[in-house]
Amino acid sequence: MRTQVGIIGAGPAGLLLAHLLHRRGIDSVVLESRSRAYIEGRIRAGLLEQGAVDTLREAGLADRLDREGLVHNGLDLLFDGTRHRIDLFGLTGKRVTIYGQQEAVKDMVAARIATGRPIFFEVADTAVHDITSDRPSITFTHEGTRHRIECDVIAGCDGFHGISRPAIPASAVRVYDRVYPFGWLGILSRSRPVSEELIYARHERGFALATMRSHTLARLYLQCAPDEDLSLWPDERIWEELHIRLSCGSELEEGPILQKGVTAMRSFVVEPMRHGRLFLAGDAAHIVPPTGAKGMNLAIGDVRVLDAALGAFFAKGDTSLMDRYSAICLDRIWKVQRFSWWMTQMLHVFDHADPFEHRIQLAELDYVVNSPAAATTLAENYVGLPYAV
Ligand code: RFL
Ligand code: PHB
């Protein structure tokens, strides 16, 4: 097989890249280790920045998003028993949209299949070769047969646990990694969301977040241990803890829990995001803690730059944007890392025995909700910093 861009991973990064390149007339092959049903059902992110929505709309991928997405103009911070609204739209003129990542993935898989161009699910033993040459290749097994794809460029969009990043020699990269001493226990419940907008709660027992997927599906998170044992969390205990941490006058409606999971939290960046003809995008290159809702948004930001860079390369042989790909992405990624870290440290309990931490967090939250300058800082980061490309 021969293609221009070999794309490893059919998450938001890989699927969006395949779609944008197709619109430019650039050929690609998408390889995914999981089944189509698995990636379309995997519950993950839910919140899109205004720029991410605009990107999907410009790409012709937003018909269902425009119909079903829930547009939010603000969010609430809950601490010391009181809810405070941050008026995102009033402070920035921009909004955010709730639309499940798996819904965006379904839309993009359907768009890919409609093009008739190749997407292989359930591939195994994916490996990249000759990445510093101008004819890199990918080998993989599909339905028992070993294949090789010769490419001009490889896009490593295979997430944090993929094979692309480890294919770069350790001596060629610098890694930044911070692991947090907590995780999130997340549930999806068939019940009315607590409020029309999101509630980020700082409570002495730990952080909680009330978000949603629709008017009848609530998505709720609790700070827990990074390796929390789910068997210790029967439904009653989850609801009891949510009632305590989200107690704010609004009613928390209980419902059947459809899905439960624990996510550990880390901040991670690899620099540079390119080695020879291998380009990393999305979670393959960076991880943020979910408190700022930035993971999927960052993946979309990277792909915008990579699409433009590959467009210039295949149209005119111009490598200048390819050469700046990593620097352009990292400039925004580090600002988003900072924001995600800041939201995380302001809202989580790191050390239950540290009263100083508690008072500092309350002072910071009080400052954020009462200072227009501080509220605007939160809002402009939350709705999404501008793109350079
Ligand atoms: P993905 O989505 O992980 O996709 C990578 C794909 O590559 C496949 N793969 C391989 N394929 C072929 N060969 C191999 N060797 C392969 N190895 C892996 C994988 O199966 C997978 O399909 O990465 P991508 O595209 O970079 O997208 C990143 C986002 O998925 C991620 O950042 C977000 O989900 C993070 N995130 C959130 N982001 C937001 O923007 N807003 C949010 O509200 C938000 N909330 C969250 C989140 C992530 C969470 N979890 C579970 C990690 C909430 C949670 C709980
Ligand atoms: C979600 O809807 O799953 C979600 C929203 C905001 C976050 C994290 C997750 O910060």
Side-chain angles (χ1 to χ4, degrees), residues 44 46-47 98 184 198 200 209 211 213 219 221 290-293:
R44 283 196 169 175
L47 190 126
I98 287 283
W184 282 12
L198 273 59
Y200 287 82
L209 170 62
T211 166
R213 287 296 176 269
R219 178 95 172 123
Y221 297 99
T291 328

Side-chain angles (χ1 to χ4, degrees), residues 18 38 81 90 137 144 198 319:
Y38 183 89
S137 63
L198 273 59
T319 58

Side-chain angles (χ1 to χ4, degrees), residues 2-275:
R2 166 99 193 96
T3 189
Q4 288 172 294
V5 185
I7 300 177
I8 308 176
L15 290 167
L16 179 61
L17 181 65
H19 186 78
L20 295 176
L21 293 176
H22 180 74
R23 285 166 67 94
R24 290 183 186 274
I26 297 173
D27 189 50
S28 65
V29 174
V30 181
L31 304 175
E32 167 58 50
S33 56
R34 302 286 192 157
S35 68
R36 179 175 178 186
Y38 183 89
I39 63 162
E40 292 189 345
R42 183 167 55 189
I43 298 176
R44 283 196 169 175
L47 190 126
L48 290 168
E49 296 171 350
Q50 169 121 27
V53 171
D54 294 343
T55 303
L56 295 172
R57 205 174 276 144
E58 285 156 22
L61 290 168
D63 287 358
R64 202 158 64 91
L65 164 63
D66 281 332
R67 282 198 309 276
E68 296 176 16
L70 304 175
V71 177
H72 289 188
N73 292 322
L75 61 80
D76 277 3
L77 294 175
L78 165 62
F79 56 96
D80 248 358
T82 308
R83 254 161 86 173
H84 305 260
R85 186 165 187 272
I86 303 286
D87 179 2
L88 299 171
F89 184 71
L91 292 165
T92 66
K94 292 185 186 163
R95 310 169 207 270
V96 292
T97 301
I98 287 283
Y99 190 64
Q101 176 170 324
Q102 76 274 27
E103 304 305 323
V105 163
K106 278 183 210 162
D107 298 343
M108 291 193 274
V109 169
R112 176 66 182 181
I113 287 172
T115 65
R117 300 306 305 145
I119 176 165
F120 293 92
F121 293 101
E122 298 179 75
V123 304
D125 305 321
T126 319
V128 296
H129 312 275
D130 307 320
I131 53 177
T132 52
S133 78
D134 58 9
R135 200 40 71 84
S137 63
I138 309 175
T139 50
F140 63 100
T141 303
H142 185 248
E143 294 176 348
T145 307
R146 195 88 186 134
H147 299 272
R148 172 181 292 270
I149 312 176
E150 305 225 312
C151 316
D152 294 307
V153 169
I154 298 175
C157 302
D158 48 352
F160 189 65
H161 301 288
I163 55 98
S164 299
R165 191 182 64 253
I168 303 178
S171 58
V173 291
R174 173 139 193 212
V175 167
Y176 301 83
D177 196 7
R178 171 167 303 203
V179 175
Y180 295 88
F182 42 75
W184 282 12
L185 192 167
I187 63 161
L188 185 71
S189 151
R190 187 163 302 287
S191 52
R192 192 163 33 82
V194 184
S195 160
E196 292 229 336
E197 295 176 344
L198 273 59
I199 305 176
Y200 287 82
R202 189 222 171 267
H203 191 278
E204 280 157 59
R205 295 171 67 96
F207 170 77
L209 170 62
T211 166
M212 68 211 67
R213 287 296 176 269
S214 73
H215 295 299
T216 53
L217 279 179
R219 178 95 172 123
L220 298 147
Y221 297 99
L222 287 168
Q223 177 182 347
C224 62
D227 54 353
E228 190 75 45
D229 180 358
L230 266 179
S231 68
L232 300 175
W233 287 87
D235 295 3
E236 310 75 64
R237 182 175 173 208
I238 295 177
W239 288 115
E240 198 180 313
E241 195 62 32
L242 285 166
H243 279 293
I244 296 172
R245 297 194 200 173
L246 290 168
S247 154
C248 57
S250 269
E251 211 190 312
L252 169 65
E253 188 183 289
E254 296 185 19
I257 296 182
L258 310 176
Q259 190 263 355
K260 265 185 218 180
V262 171
T263 311
M265 291 175 51
R266 75 193 312 154
S267 299
F268 178 97
V269 181
V270 66
E271 287 185 359
M273 291 165 58
R274 171 197 184 175
H275 188 70

